[in-house]
Amino acid sequence: MWATLDFESSGLSKQSYPIEVGFSLPDGRVESVLINPNTSADLWTYWDDVAENEIHHISRAELIEDGMSVIQVCQTLNQVLAHYDYVLCDSQWDLFWLGRLYHAAHMRPSFLLLEVKHWLKGEGIGKDVFVKALEAQGPIKHRAGQDAKQIRMAIKTLVS
C-alpha cells in the first residue's frame, strides 16, 4: 500500500521551506494544509515573490493567518501516513522540505518518503515513462493536495 505526498514552498533555494503539504491516499482521500512559518523552531524568512505570484499563489500573510503549526502538521502526517508501506513524492525537493519541516518541529516522520523514480525503478519503469504519465494527468496545479493526487493517478496508470 502506498500514498503520495507533495509540498509547495517559499521558493527553490537552500533557504526555502515548506508552506503547504498535501497527500493522496488509496481510498481517494486528498488533503492539504498550509504551514505557518512563524511556528518553526528555525528562522523561516526566505520568500520568493516569483513563486508566490507565478506558481503557487499563496501569500505569506495567508500562511500566518490560516496555516497550522509545524508540530500540528507533523503530527497529522505521522498519524495518517504511518500506515503505508511507501509514501512517494516526485522530487528531491520534497525530500528536502520534509526534512526542513520535521527538523523545525523537533520530530521524526513515522513514514519513509521515497522519490517515485527510485520506487518505479524496482518495478522496471523508467522516470521518462512516469513523466509522460504525469503529463497525461493535465497541467500541474502547484497546490500540494491536487499535485499529490496527480502524482498518485500517474503512478496508478503505470502499476495497475
Side-chain angles (χ1 to χ4, degrees):
M1 291 224 325
W2 50 272
T4 54
L5 182 79
D6 188 69
F7 284 98
E8 295 302 320
S9 70
S10 65
L12 290 177
S13 82
K14 291 189 179 193
Q15 294 80 35
S16 66
Y17 49 88
I19 63 168
E20 183 182 42
V21 62
F23 55 82
S24 178
L25 306 179
D27 64 4
R29 179 175 158 198
V30 175
E31 287 190 27
S32 65
V33 296
L34 296 175
I35 304 166
N36 184 335
N38 290 351
T39 64
S40 170
D42 299 332
L43 187 59
W44 282 3
T45 58
Y46 173 82
W47 193 258
D48 183 341
D49 290 330
V50 173
E52 175 186 347
N53 297 320
E54 297 179 20
I55 300 174
H56 54 64
H57 305 286
I58 302 168
S59 71
R60 188 169 168 92
E62 185 180 352
L63 298 174
I64 293 166
E65 183 174 328
D66 299 331
M68 293 173 60
S69 76
V70 294
I71 292 173
Q72 289 173 308
V73 173
C74 291
Q75 288 171 336
T76 299
L77 293 175
N78 279 351
Q79 181 181 9
V80 173
L81 299 176
H83 309 288
Y84 295 94
D85 298 326
Y86 300 100
V87 179
L88 305 170
C89 65
D90 72 339
S91 166
Q92 288 183 348
W93 280 109
D94 294 309
L95 299 169
F96 173 74
W97 293 315
L98 182 79
R100 297 263 353 237
L101 176 66
Y102 277 85
H103 183 267
H106 300 291
M107 295 175 68
R108 291 182 184 266
S110 63
F111 57 93
L112 177 62
L113 184 61
L114 296 172
E115 193 175 350
V116 69
K117 71 178 182 180
H118 298 298
W119 185 72
L120 287 174
K121 189 176 178 181
E123 300 286 318
I125 300 169
K127 182 180 179 180
D128 57 329
V129 174
F130 168 72
V131 169
K132 286 179 184 171
L134 186 59
E135 289 171 350
Q137 299 301 313
I140 296 294
K141 308 286 190 239
H142 294 290
R143 290 305 300 254
Q146 287 300 311
D147 292 356
K149 180 180 179 181
Q150 285 185 277
I151 295 164
R152 177 170 187 69
M153 298 308 294
I155 296 168
K156 194 173 177 183
T157 65
L158 299 173
V159 297
S160 294

